[in-house]
Amino acid sequence: MPEEPIDPTLQSKVITGLVKLSQVLKSQAWKGATPQKLTPTQGNILRQLKAEPQGLTLSQLALQQGITLATTSDAVTMLVKKQLVKKIRHPLDGRQLQLTLTPLGEQEAEKTSEWTGFLMEAVGTLEPAEQAILLQTLLKLIQVLQQQGQIAPVQMCFTCAFFQPNVYDDPQSAHHCHFLGGPLQLAQLQIDCADHRAIELPVLR
Ligand code: SF4
């Protein structure tokens, strides 16, 4: 079958859309910028803990965030070091530790919510399947930019030695993770995975 010709006007419309998004992101990031330099995972954890003032255990947090225990533990360690999160004894079971925000963490969570809240709302208007396809498309773009040396390495599925693409017929769950030992739904693709093992990327000429 002949390949479809590339439509230059379609490409330029995509670029225009991305530029418009980057402009709004830049202006919002400027408004919400803080000296803490949080990663997206750390910001998400702060927002999650803000929504659960009674505190969460590490495994509850990992479950609610949809990330591994190891990723959650690494992010929490950094947040404790930054004095944004503290560990307290569970009120009903003294053997268990719970995570809550410090007063500084409360302030930081407020700022990170302002920073991404508008985008979260916009993305939330998309169907879950549309969000998953958008995630996959963004990861593909990040991979190309990483190959071109335009972006710092990202611990995502597409650059991971455990990732095997297009193993299954289901378009919503086509890929396989050898670390987890099972199929990955599009919505489960990771962008900041503690279990990531980097592969050598080919140098583009
Ligand atoms: S280990 Fe993490 S980054 Fe690697 S394929 Fe599995 S989920 Fe993706």
Side-chain angles (χ1 to χ4, degrees), residues 156-157 160 162-163 177 179-180 190 193 195-196:
M156 62 176 183
C157 292
C160 177
F162 293 120
F163 183 73
C177 168
F179 181 83
L180 298 173
Q190 295 294 320
C193 178
D195 306 315
H196 177 271

Side-chain angles (χ1 to χ4, degrees), residues 8-170:
T9 57
L10 176 59
Q11 272 177 293
S12 54
K13 280 188 275 188
V14 171
I15 301 303
T16 305
L18 286 174
V19 169
K20 286 189 185 299
L21 277 179
S22 78
Q23 284 166 344
V24 71
L25 275 171
K26 211 192 273 180
S27 82
Q28 291 290 335
W30 181 80
K31 283 186 210 161
T34 75
Q36 299 289 353
K37 294 190 172 41
L38 300 178
T39 66
T41 303
Q42 291 168 5
N44 286 339
I45 288 175
L46 290 189
R47 281 194 293 278
Q48 187 71 50
L49 289 176
K50 188 167 171 53
E52 309 272 359
Q54 78 286 358
L56 289 171
T57 63
L58 196 64
S59 43
Q60 286 171 329
L61 198 51
L63 198 66
Q64 292 194 11
Q65 293 282 319
I67 54 177
T68 65
L69 206 52
T71 307
T72 315
S73 173
D74 287 352
V76 165
T77 302
M78 290 310 296
L79 290 169
V80 171
K81 266 193 201 154
K82 291 177 181 180
Q83 301 185 343
L84 300 175
V85 166
K86 64 181 175 190
K87 294 176 182 174
I88 55 168
R89 295 262 162 225
H90 193 290
L92 300 177
D93 179 357
R95 292 165 303 173
Q96 264 198 30
L97 286 176
Q98 278 193 297
L99 302 161
T100 57
L101 294 177
T102 63
L104 193 59
E106 291 274 355
Q107 290 172 19
E108 197 70 16
E110 199 66 49
K111 287 178 194 156
T112 59
S113 302
E114 284 166 22
W115 173 34
T116 54
F118 75 103
L119 202 53
M120 194 78 88
E121 222 171 274
V123 173
T125 64
L126 302 178
E127 295 293 329
E130 291 175 315
Q131 291 183 31
I133 289 169
L134 180 58
L135 171 65
Q136 178 171 248
T137 308
L138 287 173
L139 291 183
K140 281 185 183 171
L141 274 178
I142 291 170
Q143 183 186 19
V144 173
L145 292 172
Q146 192 174 319
Q147 284 169 331
Q148 291 174 348
Q150 304 276 1
I151 199 168
V154 177
Q155 291 186 304
M156 62 176 183
C157 292
F158 292 172
T159 59
C160 177
F162 293 120
F163 183 73
Q164 190 178 355
N166 304 319
V167 175
Y168 309 103
D169 285 338
D170 181 356

